[in-house]
C-alpha cells in the first residue's frame, strides 16, 4: 500500500487540474497537430513534440497515488508557467495566436469557458 499523499502535493494536484483544462487526449492531438503545422495528425513517429507538454500528458494519465517527484515538478512548472502568462496577458490576448498556442502547449486553453 502506498503512503499517504503529502498535503502540499494534494494542493498542487488540485491546482494543476484547475489550470490544465484540456484532457490528455485533447492535449496530445493539439501537440501533434501544432507540431506538424498541418490540420491532420502527422504520420512521422519521430516528430519532436514539446517536452513539457508530453510530461503533462503523462501526469494527466496518472492517479494521484502514482505521482513521482518528477511529476510533482512538472505540475509546479505548469502551474507557474500558466499563472505567469495569464498575469502578463497581452492587450487583445484573445486574438493573440502566439500567446494562446504557448498556453495550449501545456494544456491550458485560455478561450475555454471556466466550468
Amino acid at each position: 500500500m502506498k503512503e499517504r499523499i503529502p498535503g502540499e502535493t494534494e494542493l498542487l494536484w488540485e491546482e494543476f487540474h484547475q489550470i490544465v483544462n484540456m484532457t490528455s487526449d485533447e492535449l496530445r492531438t493539439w501537440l501533434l497537430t501544432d507540431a506538424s503545422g498541418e490540420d491532420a495528425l502527422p504520420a512521422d513517429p519521430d516528430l519532436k513534440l514539446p517536452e513539457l507538454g508530453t510530461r503533462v500528458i503523462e501526469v494527466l494519465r496518472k492517479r494521484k497515488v502514482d505521482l513521482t517527484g518528477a511529476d510533482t515538478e512538472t505540475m509546479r512548472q505548469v502551474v507557474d508557467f500558466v499563472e505567469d502568462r495569464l498575469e502578463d496577458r497581452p492587450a487583445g490576448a484573445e486574438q493573440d495566436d502566439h500567446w494562446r498556442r504557448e498556453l495550449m502547449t501545456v494544456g491550458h486553453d485560455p478561450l475555454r469557458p471556466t466550468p
Side-chain angles (χ1 to χ4, degrees):
M1 186 162 111
K2 280 216 157 207
E3 294 179 24
R4 181 163 163 70
I5 307 291
E8 184 178 303
T9 303
E10 290 269 0
L11 292 173
L12 181 58
W13 173 266
E14 293 302 321
E15 193 174 11
F16 174 80
H17 280 86
Q18 287 174 2
I19 284 196
V20 175
N21 61 4
M22 298 170 71
T23 67
S24 60
D25 288 339
E26 288 172 331
L27 178 54
R28 181 180 178 279
T29 299
W30 165 258
L31 291 175
L32 288 170
T33 304
D34 190 51
S36 72
E38 300 293 328
D39 291 329
L41 297 178
D44 183 1
D46 296 326
L47 188 64
K48 183 76 173 136
L49 298 177
E51 182 183 345
L52 185 55
T54 303
R55 292 189 339 240
V56 170
I57 292 169
E58 293 169 3
V59 171
L60 288 172
R61 291 182 173 168
K62 287 188 173 188
R63 299 176 313 156
K64 189 174 8 177
V65 296
D66 296 328
L67 293 174
T68 65
D71 296 331
T72 302
E73 179 57 30
T74 294
M75 291 190 301
R76 174 56 46 213
Q77 282 181 313
V78 169
V79 167
D80 289 347
F81 177 82
V82 172
E83 286 178 345
D84 286 349
R85 294 305 181 278
L86 293 176
E87 190 174 295
D88 296 330
R89 176 183 297 242
E94 288 71 24
Q95 286 76 42
D96 187 331
D97 194 51
H98 174 75
W99 179 75
R100 182 175 184 230
R101 286 176 176 270
E102 243 185 0
L103 289 165
M104 288 183 71
T105 299
V106 296
H108 179 80
D109 183 350
L111 300 183
R112 182 170 284 183
T114 306

